[in-house]
C-alpha cells in the first residue's frame, strides 16, 4: 500500500478544532429539523447479536425493522464505534494505515420515512463544500451501478440527483457494484443502494483513478445509505413502504481532511495522546508510515488502542478470557507488546495515557472523565499481569521464528497458553517478519486443550502424593452396582493415611478400598456416584477417579465415622444404568456418523454421563436435517435389533488387527486392551467403559443438538431411554400447545403460521390505509372549520394516532390548501405526544415562525423541539398536555395576527 505522507496539504481548510467540527455537524442538521440523539453505549445493552456498536444506525435498528419508533423522524448524532469483531474488523489496518481505527466516532444523520435521496445528497454537499469549504474538485461521489444477478437496477435517481442538486463535476460521479455500494443490515431486513463521498488527498489532485482502491491517497469519508428494499427469508427483495436514510461520516477522517494534515494522527484528535506517549517514553513521533516505521507505527497503535480501551471500559466492558472481554485483552496486549519492544517500557505505562483522553474528550463524553480512575486501574492491572510473561514470550517467539518460514502450531499455542499471547498478536509479530503462523494447527490444539481442561476441571487435586498408594481391584465395575470391600485408607492434604478414623467434615476426602465396583472417570465416561456404608458410618461418593493403580472415591462422610480396616457395602447410584445406555449408544452413534457422513469421520472426544452423551468429531460442515434423521434411524434400527454386546481383553497387537476396529482419541493403551463389540462386530472399539448387555436396553435414541465446537470439529448431543422419551414428549407438548393456540393440528402448524404471517401483512397494509383515510377526513374538517383572523386561517387540532410522516403530510396539505394559514397539529405516536407546526410564507414575513410557535407551547407536553420558520416539530412526554398545548397555540397565533 502506498501511503502519502506530506506536510500540510492544499486541502487545508480550517483552524477549527475537532470539537468545533463535531458541534457544527450536529448544529447543521439541527437547523434542518433533526433531533440530536446522543450516542448509544459502545457496549450494546440490548442487542445480543452485536459485540460492540459499529455504526450509527445500531441504536435505530428497531425503527428500520419497523418494530420501534421515535418521536421524531429526523435524527443526527456522533456514535461511538468499535470495529474489532464480527463483520467489521479493522484491527489489522490500525497503525499500518492512518485512517482505520479500532475506536472511532461516526457522525450521522437519519430520516425515518421522512426525507430521501434529494435532501441527503444536497445537505451532505452543502455541509462539506458550503459550510466547511472543501474544494469541490477534490470530492468524488459513487453510486450503485446495479446488479443483474439480483435484478437490481442502477441507482439512476442518485446519479441524477448528484448533478441536479449539487455542482459536483459530473465526471466525479462514478458507479460501483454491490460490494461497495449496496448496504444490508444483515441476511434479512431493510437494505438499499448507497452513495459514498471520497476525498482526493493527492498533492496534485490526480486521484480520480484511486476511488475505492483502498489507497490512502483517496479515502471514503461519508456513506449515504438509502434504505428502500426489504430482503425476506427467501432472499427476495421488495420495496419498503417507508423509505429511510442512514448516513455515516467518519469523524477522525473528516477532521483530518478539514484541518489539512496528512493523517488522522496529525489532527488534534490524536495530537495530545501522541504527545503524552512521547512524554512517557522519551521517544519522538515523526509521522512515518511503512514497513520499517516501527516506532511511529507503535505510537499510532498505542494511541488508537488506548482510546478503544478507555471508551469500552467506560461503557462497562472489562478485559477477561472470553467474548467481549477477550477482545479488550487482545487489544491491550498488542499495545503492551509494542510498548516493550519499541519503547522498552518495562513497567505499566499505557494506563497513564487515560487522563489525557479524559481531559481531551471528557467534556463531550463525560462517562470517560467520571470513570477515569476505574479505567486506569483495570488497564494497569492488565499491563502488570501481561508484563510478567511478555519478555519470555518474546524470547520464545524469536526462537520459533528462527526455525523457518512458518511459526509452528505448538509454538503459537505455547505462546498463547503459557505466555498469554493472543493468536492475532503472534500473527502480527510473524507478519512483521514476513512469516505466517499455522493457524489451523493452533485451532486444533485449542480444541484439544479445552476438552482436557473440561476433564481436569473435575479432576481432584491429588497431584503429588507422598508415599505409595495401595492398588484397587476394579474388575467388579463390569459386574454390577454393588459389592463388599475393605476400607484401606484415604488421602488428606496430599498424604496417604492408612489408619485411624474419618469424621464428618467440610473437606472432600479421597477414600481408597481394596476392591470396588465404582467406575473411575475414563474415556469420556464420568466417574460413578454412590454410597459406601460400614457398620459405623456412611460415606457419600461424589465422583470416582483413578490415580496410578488406585481408585479414588471422592466425597465426604455423611454420617457416623469411617474407620480404616473395616468392611463396607458399596452401592453405585442407579444413574449408572443410564450412563451404560448412553455409552453403548455413543458407539452406535459413532458408527452411524461414519456411515452417513464419511468413513473418515474421526472421534475427537466424548462425554458420557447419566443425562446425555456428547460426541465430537472431525467434520467440516454442519450436519443437515436429513443427515441427523438418518443417524437417528440407523442407531434405532440397531436398538430394535436388540444385538448382543461382547467384550474381551486382548494383547494390543492382536486387537489392532480386528476388522473395523476403532481406537479412542487421546487414550493411552497398555499391553492388553479391552475390546467392545456390538453384534457381529460392525462396531468394534477399544473401550474400558461400562456397556449394556444388549442394545435393546437403550430403548430409544434421539439427537437433541448439533453444533460446531471449533474449526472443523462438530458436536452431536443425544439422549437415550427415559430421557429420550421425555425429549420427544417435550417437543410434542410444545407443538400441541402452539397448535391449540392456533386452532389447528401439529402437522399443519407450519402452513397455519405462514398463513397468519400473510394475514398480518395484509392487515398492516389495511391499517395504514385506514389511518390515512381517517386523517384525510379529519384534515378536511379542520380546513372547513378553521377560524379566520385578518384573512389567515388558524388551523389547530388533534389527529388520531398515525405515523409521523402522515401527520407532517397533513400539516403540509392544510398549509397549501388554506392559502394563508398557521397550522398546529398534535397526535400521539407510540404513547408519546407530538406537535407539528407549519406556516405559510406571508405569515412568516409577519413574524410568525413555526419554530417559535412550537417552542412557545411545547412545555405543556413536557417536551423539547423546534425547527424552521415554515415547519417545526417537537416530541414530549405527557400526552395529557395536548389540549393545553393546542389552546396555547391558538392563543399565540391569534395574538400575533391581531
Ligand atoms: P472503509 O472502506 O474505509 O473501511 P467502510 O466502508 O467500512 O470504510 P462504512 O461502514 O460505510 O465504512 O462507515 C461509514 C464511515 O465511517 C466511513 O465512510 C468512514 O469515514 C468511517 N469509518 C469506517 N471504518 C472506520 C475505521 N475503522 N476507522 C475510522 N473511520 C472509519
Ligand atoms: Mg471498513
Amino acid at each position: 500500500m502506498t501511503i502519502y505522507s506530506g506536510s500540510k496539504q492544499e486541502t487545508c481548510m480550517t483552524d477549527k478544532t475537532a470539537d468545533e467540527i463535531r458541534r457544527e455537524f450536529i448544529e447543521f442538521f439541527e437547523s434542518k429539523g433533526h433531533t440530536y440523539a446522543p450516542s448509544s453505549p459502545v457496549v450494546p445493552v440490548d442487542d445480543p447479536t452485536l459485540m460492540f456498536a459499529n455504526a450509527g444506525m445500531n441504536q435505530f435498528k428497531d425503527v428500520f425493522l419497523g418494530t420501534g419508533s421515535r418521536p421524531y423522524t429526523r435524527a443526527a448524532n456522533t456514535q461511538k464505534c468499535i470495529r474489532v469483531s464480527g463483520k467489521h474488523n479493522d484491527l489489522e489496518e490500525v497503525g499500518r494505515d492512518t485512517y482505520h481505527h479500532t475506536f472511532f466516532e461516526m457522525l450521522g444523520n437519519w430520516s425515518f420515512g421522512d426525507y430521501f435521496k434529494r435532501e441527503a445528497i444536497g445537505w451532505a454537499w452543502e455541509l462539506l463544500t458550503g459550510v466547511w469549504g472543501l474544494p469541490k474538485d477534490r470530492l468524488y461521489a459513487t453510486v450503485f451501478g446495479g446488479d443483474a444477478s439480483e435484478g437490481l437496477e442502477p441507482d439512476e435517481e442518485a446519479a441524477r440527483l448528484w448533478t441536479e442538486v449539487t455542482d459536483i463535476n459530473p465526471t466525479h460521479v462514478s458507479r460501483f457494484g454491490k460490494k461497495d455500494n449496496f448496504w444490508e443490515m444483515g441476511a434479512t431486513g431493510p437494505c438499499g443502494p448507497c452513495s459514498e463521498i471520497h476525498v482526493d488527498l493527492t498533492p496534485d489532485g490526480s486521484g480520480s483513478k484511486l476511488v475505492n482502491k483502498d489507497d490512502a491517497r483517496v479515502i471514503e469519508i461519508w456513506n449515504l445509505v438509502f434504505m428502500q428494499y426489504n430482503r425476506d427469508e427467501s432472499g427476495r427483495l421488495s420495496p419498503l413502504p417507508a423509505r429511510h436514510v442512514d448516513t455515516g461520516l467518519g469523524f477522525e477522517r473528516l477532521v483530518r481532511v478539514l484541518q489539512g494534515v496528512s493523517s488522522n494522527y496529525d489532527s488534534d484528535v490524536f495530537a495530545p495522546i501522541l504527545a503524552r506517549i512521547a512524554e512517557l517514553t522519551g521517544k519522538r513521533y515523526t509521522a512515518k508510515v511503512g514497513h520499517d516505521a516501527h516506532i511511529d507505527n507503535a505510537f499510532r497503535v498505542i494511541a488508537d488502542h488506548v482510546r478503544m480501551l478507555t471508551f469500552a471500559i467506560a461503557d462497562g466492558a472489562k478485559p477477561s478470557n472470553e467474548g467481549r472481554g477477550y477482545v479488550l485483552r487482545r487489544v491491550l496486549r498488542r499495545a503492551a507488546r509494542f510498548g516493550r519492544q519499541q519503547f522498552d517500557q518495562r513497567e505499566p505505562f499505557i494506563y497513564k495515557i487515560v487522563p489525557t483522553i479524559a481531559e481531551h474528550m471528557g467534556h463531550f463524553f463525560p462517562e470517560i472523565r467520571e470513570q477515569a480512575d476505574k479505567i486506569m486501574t483495570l488497564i494497569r492491572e492488565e499491563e502488570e499481569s501481561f508484563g510478567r510473561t511478555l519478555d519470555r514470550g518474546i524470547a520464545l517467539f524469536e526462537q520459533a521464528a528462527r526455525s523457518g518460514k512458518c511459526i509452528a502450531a505448538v509454538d503459537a499455542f505455547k505462546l498463547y497458553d503459557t505466555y498469554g499471547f493472543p493468536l492475532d498478536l503472534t500473527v502480527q509479530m510473524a507478519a512483521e517478519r514476513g512469516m505466517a503462523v499455522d493457524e489451523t494447527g493452533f485451532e486444533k490444539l485449542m480444541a484439544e486443550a479445552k476438552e482436557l481442561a473440561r476433564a481436569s476441571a473435575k479432576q481432584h487435586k491429588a497431584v503429588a502424593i507422598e508415599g505409595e498408594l495401595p492398588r484397587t481391584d476394579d474388575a467388579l465395575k463390569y459386574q454390577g452396582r454393588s459389592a463388599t470391600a475393605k476400607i484401606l485408607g484415604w488421602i488428606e492434604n496430599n498424604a496417604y493415611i492408612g489408619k485411624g478414623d474419618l469424621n464428618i467434615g467440610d473437606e472432600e476426602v479421597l477414600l481408597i478400598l481394596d476392591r470396588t465396583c465404582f467406575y473411575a472417570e475414563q474415556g469420556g465416561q464420568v466417574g460413578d456416584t454412590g454410597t459406601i456404608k460400614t457398620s459405623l458410618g456412611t460415606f457419600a461418593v461424589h465422583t470416582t477417579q483413578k490415580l496410578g493403580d488406585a481408585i479414588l472415591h471422592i466425597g465426604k462422610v455423611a454420617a457416623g465415622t469411617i474407620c480404616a480396616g473395616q468392611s463396607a457395602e458399596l452401592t453405585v447410584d442407579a444413574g449408572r444404568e443410564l450412563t451404560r445406555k448412553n455409552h453403548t449408544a455413543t458407539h452406535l452413534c459413532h458408527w452411524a456418523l461414519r456411515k452417513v457422513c464419511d468413513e473418515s469421520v474421526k472421534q475427537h472426544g466424548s462425554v458420557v454421563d447419566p443425562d446425555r452423551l456428547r460426541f465430537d468429531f472431525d467434520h467440516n460442515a454442519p450436519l443437515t436435517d436429513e443427515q441427523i434423521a438418518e443417524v437417528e434411524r440407523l442407531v434405532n434400527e440397531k436398538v430394535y435389533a436388540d444385538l448382543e454386546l461382547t467384550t474381551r481383553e486382548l494383547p494390543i497387537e492382536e486387537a489392532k488387527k480386528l476388522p473395523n476396529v476403532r481406537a479412542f482419541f487421546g487414550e493411552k493403551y497398555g499391553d492388553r486392551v479391552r475390546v467392545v463389540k456390538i453384534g457381529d462386530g460392525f462396531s468394534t472399539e477399544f473401550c474400558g467403559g461400562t456397556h449394556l448387555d444388549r442394545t435393546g436396553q437403550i430403548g430409544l435414541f434421539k439427537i437433541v443438538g448439533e453444533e460446531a465446537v471449533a474449526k472443523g470439529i462438530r458436536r452431536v448431543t443425544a439422549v437415550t431411554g427415559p430421557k429420550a422419551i421425555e425429549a420427544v414428549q417435550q417437543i410434542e407438548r410444545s407443538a400441541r400447545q402452539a397448535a391449540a393456540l392456533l386452532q389447528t393440528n401439529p402437522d399443519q402448524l407450519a402452513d397455519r403460521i405462514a398463513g397468519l404471517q400473510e394475514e398480518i401483512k395484509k392487515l398492516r397494509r389495511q391499517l395504514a390505509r385506514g389511518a390515512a383515510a381517517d386523517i384525510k377526513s379529519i384534515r378536511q374538517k379542520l380546513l372547513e372549520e378553521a377560524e379566520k383572523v385578518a384573512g389567515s386561517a388558524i388551523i389547530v387540532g388533534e389527529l388520531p394516532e398515525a405515523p409521523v410522516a402522515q401527520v407532517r403530510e397533513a400539516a403540509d396539505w392544510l398549509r397549501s390548501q388554506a392559502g394563508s394559514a398557521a397550522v398546529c397539529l398534535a397526535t400521539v405516536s407510540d404513547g408519546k405526544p407530538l406537535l407539528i407546526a407549519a406556516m405559510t410564507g406571508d405569515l412568516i414575513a409577519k413574524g410568525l415562525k413555526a419554530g417559535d410557535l412550537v417552542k412557545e407551547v411545547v412545555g405543556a407536553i413536557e417536551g423539547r423541539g423546534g425547527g424552521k420558520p415554515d415547519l417545526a416539530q417537537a416530541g414530549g412526554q405527557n400526552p395529557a398536555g395536548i389540549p393545553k398545548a393546542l389552546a396555547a397555540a391558538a392563543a399565540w397565533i391569534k395574538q400575533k395576527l391581531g
Side-chain angles (χ1 to χ4, degrees), residues 21 25 29 56 77-79 81 104-110 124 127-128 132 134 197 199 220-224 246-255 257-258:
I21 293 168
F25 176 89
F29 281 101
N77 77 7
T78 183
Q79 172 67 43
C81 294
F104 64 99
E105 289 180 55
M106 195 188 285
L107 301 167
N109 58 289
W110 290 272
L127 180 59
L128 292 178
W132 286 328
L134 276 178
I197 302 172
V199 187
E220 173 194 330
I221 56 166
W222 204 343
N223 191 357
L224 317 175
D246 159 31
T247 87
L249 167 60
F251 175 63
E252 294 76 7
R253 295 186 190 179
L254 171 72
V255 170
V257 169
L258 292 181

Side-chain angles (χ1 to χ4, degrees), residues 158-446:
R160 180 173 48 76
L161 285 167
W162 269 110
T163 49
E164 209 174 283
V165 299
T166 79
D167 53 357
I168 192 169
N169 176 345
T171 66
H172 284 203
V173 181
S174 50
R175 292 160 189 242
F176 285 86
K178 219 177 112 191
K179 180 173 94 38
D180 290 302
N181 283 72
F182 195 85
W183 189 91
E184 312 214 22
M185 187 154 75
T188 60
C191 53
C194 60
S195 188
E196 294 174 346
I197 302 172
H198 298 250
V199 187
D200 179 359
L201 301 166
T202 56
D204 54 356
S206 61
S208 67
K209 295 265 180 321
L210 299 175
V211 174
N212 265 341
K213 291 283 184 302
D214 279 337
D215 190 299
R217 291 168 296 180
V218 177
I219 61 173
E220 173 194 330
I221 56 166
W222 204 343
N223 191 357
L224 317 175
V225 181
F226 310 125
M227 279 186 241
Q228 59 188 91
Y229 301 108
N230 184 47
R231 192 185 283 282
D232 66 19
E233 247 91 80
S234 68
R236 227 186 22 221
L237 294 167
S238 54
L240 278 178
R243 304 188 302 176
H244 313 289
V245 173
D246 159 31
T247 87
L249 167 60
F251 175 63
E252 294 76 7
R253 295 186 190 179
L254 171 72
V255 170
R256 161 258 184 101
V257 169
L258 292 181
Q259 293 181 348
V261 289
S262 55
S263 106
N264 288 14
Y265 295 91
D266 295 316
S267 74
D268 69 335
V269 173
F270 282 97
I273 303 174
L274 294 172
R276 178 67 178 146
I277 298 173
E279 183 182 40
L280 290 168
T281 61
K283 302 276 188 219
R284 220 164 58 82
Y285 180 65
T286 61
K288 276 207 284 293
V289 180
H291 278 308
D292 45 359
H294 296 306
I295 298 270
D296 287 336
N297 194 24
F299 261 103
R300 285 187 291 268
V301 168
I302 293 170
D304 172 273
H305 287 9
V306 66
R307 277 186 3 131
M308 181 276 193
L309 291 161
T310 300
F311 277 87
I313 295 173
D315 280 346
K318 243 163 102 175
S320 76
N321 249 339
E322 53 193 13
R324 191 180 279 143
Y326 194 57
V327 175
L328 264 65
R329 181 162 283 172
R330 274 163 47 207
V331 164
L332 179 110
R333 292 188 173 183
R334 285 167 80 105
R337 197 269 308 192
F338 276 112
R340 181 72 54 97
Q341 276 195 314
Q342 299 305 336
F343 298 146
D344 200 28
Q345 291 297 306
R346 317 219 60 86
E347 297 298 324
F349 74 106
I350 297 168
Y351 77 96
K352 293 183 187 163
I353 308 167
V354 174
T356 308
I357 303 177
E359 186 187 331
H360 186 48
M361 303 183 75
H363 58 93
F364 197 82
F365 298 105
E367 63 274 23
I368 57 175
R369 194 155 54 194
E370 280 152 21
Q371 303 196 55
D373 287 343
K374 172 181 138 193
I375 299 168
M376 286 173 72
T377 309
L378 279 177
I379 296 183
R380 198 194 64 231
E381 284 170 0
E382 272 296 296
E383 288 189 81
E384 271 165 4
S385 84
F386 188 46
R388 285 194 278 274
T389 56
L390 186 49
D391 280 337
R392 277 179 291 151
I394 292 174
L396 172 69
F397 175 83
E398 295 297 334
Q399 205 185 334
R402 231 174 284 141
S403 65
K405 269 215 167 101
C406 182
I407 303 288
V410 281
D411 291 322
F413 186 74
K414 181 149 193 208
L415 279 168
Y416 166 83
D417 195 43
T418 312
Y419 301 113
F421 280 46
L423 178 64
D424 66 85
L425 174 53
T426 306
V427 170
Q428 187 186 47
M429 291 168 73
E432 284 169 8
R433 298 166 164 244
M435 293 175 66
V437 177
D438 175 5
E439 296 186 41
T440 320
F442 177 89
E443 294 297 340
K444 282 241 156 89
L445 291 175
M446 271 297 270

Side-chain angles (χ1 to χ4, degrees), residues 83 88 90 100:
R83 290 192 171 182
H88 292 289
D90 291 336
H100 279 97

